[in-house]
């Protein structure tokens, strides 16, 4: 089998076709994994993708709360994108189901209703201890907040912000908006150069802001440095590269092809795809980026599988206020998660942070803080639609990482709702988790479309 694959790769490379240059290396086993590209393609495209799309069209998952007006914390953003396709239309209050607007997602549960009563009583009791000083009460609140945030990999303050608004993701799809150039590249440069553990002395193989393709020696130096890193830092870089690739695939697959006065037509732009992934046009980087997309898919798929016990809790509900629909969609969600768990070649996350306990804890915290920083950079994106989907996808990936490194807490979930679970996911995290994976799943499916389109062009 390996000989056949090798011969196929050689034929594709010799042919010099665009199809070969984009996909010749996107086959076979993935680095640091016990999985291969073909297994993922078959599983995603034939089994998982159609069911996931149905779930994401449901009311619970289509409405996402986001604050698009937070200032950039790192540099002054001179202006926001003035292109009309950059705009995001928020929902009016009556467009969002009441069950979503009224916060808690467990309201169908009798136990949850009892907990609400207990919470109300606790508020009275705890005008509690008026003997506590104001400073002590604030300290207790800060400790609680610190405990809650210590396992998070991304900023999640949008849900409670008075400036946040609900957005219908189906009415504001991720697609090409025209937002590009130095401002857009500044975002990715900041992510790669300052948050991927890379020293400034090691140049990336392709430097976007100067549109400069590096020499072969620079590429060799970069990959020699990357291979010399521990598996955790190598994985972190590949996750960010995979996310970048996925976004580029979406922009190429939903490109503005026709913008006349009477219609706007969106569709696949093969030339745009080639500019981003053809090995000749990207100094050999394009196929590597696509392989990193598959790595990202495995990480997020593993998180979905690991999260199944949380969603299986009887008290958990996808609450929108429509009981029959909510029950049907919970059953579909559980079916998708069980399907994810059935995947035969999962990523083994136990290989991460597995060395000396103190060093592993330090490394995990470094990775967490780096990703937290990346989630803050999303508030520097000048295009509001790009900012919306950037925030959602980084939060979704951050939630995946939170799940992967909360195995003990998930295993210790209480059998009854009388005990407070040590592991929780907010509705915001749940919506971003499934939608972010939906974007990755869509990207894998779109690669099948681009393979066919490139083959037709020959």
């Amino acid at each position: 089998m390996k000989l056949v694959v090798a011969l196929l790769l050689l034929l594709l490379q010799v042919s010099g076709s665009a199809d070969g240059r984009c996909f010749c290396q996107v086959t076979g086993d993935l680095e640091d994994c016990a999985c291969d590209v073909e297994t993922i393609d078959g599983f995603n495209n034939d089994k998982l993708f159609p069911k996931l799309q149905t779930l994401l069209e449901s009311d619970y998952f289509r409405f996402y709360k986001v604050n698009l007006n937070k200032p950039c914390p790192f540099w002054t953003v001179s202006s926001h994108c003035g292109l009309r396709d950059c705009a995001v239309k928020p929902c009016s209050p009556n467009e969002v189901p009441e069950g979503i607007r009224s916060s808690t997602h467990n309201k169908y549960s009798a136990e949850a209703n009892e907990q609400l009563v207990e919470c109300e009583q606790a508020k009275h009791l705890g005008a509690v201890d008026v003997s506590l000083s104001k400073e002590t009460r604030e300290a207790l609140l800060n400790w609680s907040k610190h405990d809650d945030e210590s396992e998070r990999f991304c900023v999640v303050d949008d849900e409670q912000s008075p400036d946040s608004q609900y957005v219908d993701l189906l009415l504001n799809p991720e697609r090409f908006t025209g937002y590009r150039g130095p401002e857009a590249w500044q975002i990715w440069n900041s992510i790669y150069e300052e948050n991927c553990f890379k020293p400034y002395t090691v140049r990336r193989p392709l430097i976007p802001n100067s549109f400069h393709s590096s020499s072969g020696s620079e590429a060799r130096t970069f990959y020699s440095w990357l291979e010399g890193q521990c598996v955790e830092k190598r994985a972190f870089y590949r996750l960010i590269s995979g996310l970048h690739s996925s976004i580029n695939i979406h922009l190429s697959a939903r490109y503005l092809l026709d913008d006349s006065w009477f219609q706007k037509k969106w569709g696949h732009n093969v030339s745009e795809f080639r500019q981003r992934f053809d090995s000749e046009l990207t100094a050999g980087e394009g196929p590597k980026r696509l392989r990193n997309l598959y790595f990202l898919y495995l990480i997020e798929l593993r998180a979905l599988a690991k999260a199944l016990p949380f969603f299986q809790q009887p008290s958990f509900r996808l609450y929108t206020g429509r009981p029959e629909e909510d029950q049907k969609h919970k059953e579909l969600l559980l079916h998708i998660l069980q399907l994810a768990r059935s995947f035969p070649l999962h990523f083994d996350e136990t290989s991460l942070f597995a060395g000396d306990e103190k060093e592993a804890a330090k490394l995990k915290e470094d990775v967490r803080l780096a990703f937290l920083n990346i989630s803050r950079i999303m508030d520097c994106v000048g295009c509001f639609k790009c900012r919306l989907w950037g925030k959602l996808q980084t939060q979704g990936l951050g939630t995946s990482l939170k799940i992967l490194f909360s195995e003990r807490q998930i295993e210790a979930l209480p059998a009854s709702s009388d005990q407070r679970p040590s592991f929780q996911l907010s509705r915001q995290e749940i919506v971003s988790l499934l939608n972010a994976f939906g974007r990755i799943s869509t990207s894998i499916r779109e690669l099948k479309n681009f393979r066919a389109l490139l083959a037709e062009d020959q």
Side-chain angles (χ1 to χ4, degrees), residues 179-399:
Y179 177 67
R180 63 198 316 168
E183 286 189 9
W185 285 121
Q186 184 179 14
I187 300 295
W188 287 110
N189 279 341
S190 178
I191 289 171
Y192 283 115
E193 298 296 327
E194 299 171 24
N195 297 284
C196 282
F197 306 103
K198 187 183 74 61
Y200 288 109
T201 52
V202 175
R203 294 167 66 91
R204 277 185 292 147
L206 195 66
I207 304 175
N209 61 351
S210 62
F211 299 97
H212 160 69
S213 295
S214 65
S215 66
S217 62
E218 286 177 344
R220 285 192 295 273
T221 299
F222 174 81
Y223 284 106
S224 174
W225 166 80
L226 187 63
E227 288 305 310
Q229 298 303 298
C230 61
V231 65
E232 293 84 0
K233 291 183 179 180
R234 201 161 61 235
F236 188 86
Y237 171 83
R238 294 178 65 197
L239 288 176
I240 300 306
S241 174
L243 177 61
H244 194 180
S245 298
S246 181
I247 291 170
N248 282 336
I249 292 169
H250 303 151
L251 305 187
S252 302
R254 302 193 72 166
Y255 199 91
L256 184 56
L257 302 176
D258 184 12
D259 190 12
S260 60
W261 66 272
F262 59 90
Q263 75 164 353
K264 297 183 78 166
K265 181 182 177 183
W266 305 84
H268 295 83
N269 187 324
V270 175
S271 297
E272 187 72 22
F273 180 84
R274 287 189 57 209
Q275 286 179 14
R276 298 171 188 269
F277 298 108
D278 189 313
S279 60
E280 282 191 2
L281 302 177
T282 59
E285 284 301 296
K288 294 184 178 70
R289 296 168 180 169
L290 293 178
R291 291 180 68 83
N292 290 338
L293 167 68
Y294 283 89
F295 180 76
L296 172 62
Y297 182 93
L298 285 177
I299 293 291
E300 296 203 4
L301 182 70
R302 181 61 171 160
L304 291 182
K306 300 279 283 188
L308 178 60
F310 172 81
F311 293 103
Q312 284 177 322
Q313 295 176 105
S315 60
F316 176 80
R317 297 292 185 271
L318 299 177
Y319 185 79
T320 68
R322 303 184 183 99
E324 291 184 7
E325 286 184 26
D326 291 345
Q327 180 59 29
K328 180 180 74 172
H329 290 134
K330 181 182 178 180
E331 290 170 4
L332 177 57
L333 171 63
L334 292 178
H335 177 66
I336 288 169
L337 298 179
Q338 285 160 346
L339 186 60
R341 180 165 278 197
S342 74
F343 183 72
L345 297 170
H346 270 296
F347 178 79
D348 180 11
E349 73 283 356
T350 60
S351 64
L352 302 177
F353 309 110
D356 175 80
E357 191 171 335
K358 280 189 176 180
E359 289 181 9
K362 171 66 166 59
L363 182 57
K364 180 181 175 182
E365 182 65 5
D366 288 345
V367 167
R368 189 184 75 84
L369 292 176
F371 196 85
L372 192 67
N373 218 35
I374 290 173
S375 73
R376 293 191 179 105
I377 292 174
M378 292 301 113
D379 286 313
C380 301
V381 177
C383 166
F384 283 125
K385 187 167 288 181
C386 307
R387 182 182 293 202
L388 163 66
W389 285 100
K391 286 168 75 77
L392 181 145
Q393 289 175 85
T394 51
Q395 184 176 33
L397 177 52
T399 303

Side-chain angles (χ1 to χ4, degrees), residues 425-450:
L425 291 175
S426 68
R427 178 182 176 274
Q428 192 81 343
E429 289 174 310
I430 294 166
V431 171
S432 65
L433 172 71
L434 270 296
N435 272 283
F437 183 70
R439 296 281 77 207
I440 308 304
S441 174
T442 300
S443 293
I444 299 291
R445 180 64 180 78
E446 288 292 0
L447 288 185
K448 180 179 179 180
N449 294 330
F450 277 113

Side-chain angles (χ1 to χ4, degrees), residues 123-163:
K123 284 181 183 176
H124 295 295
L125 285 172
V128 244
D129 202 345
V130 290
S131 64
L132 292 177
S133 68
K134 178 183 176 183
E135 291 78 11
T136 303
R137 288 198 299 273
E138 287 179 353
L140 289 171
L141 287 172
N142 287 335
W143 291 341
S144 176
K145 184 179 178 184
H146 177 269
D147 289 343
D148 191 37
E149 292 180 348
S150 62
E151 293 300 314
R152 285 184 172 150
F153 284 75
C154 55
V155 177
V156 290
D157 57 354
D158 281 6
E159 197 167 15
Q160 303 301 325
S161 169
D163 296 323

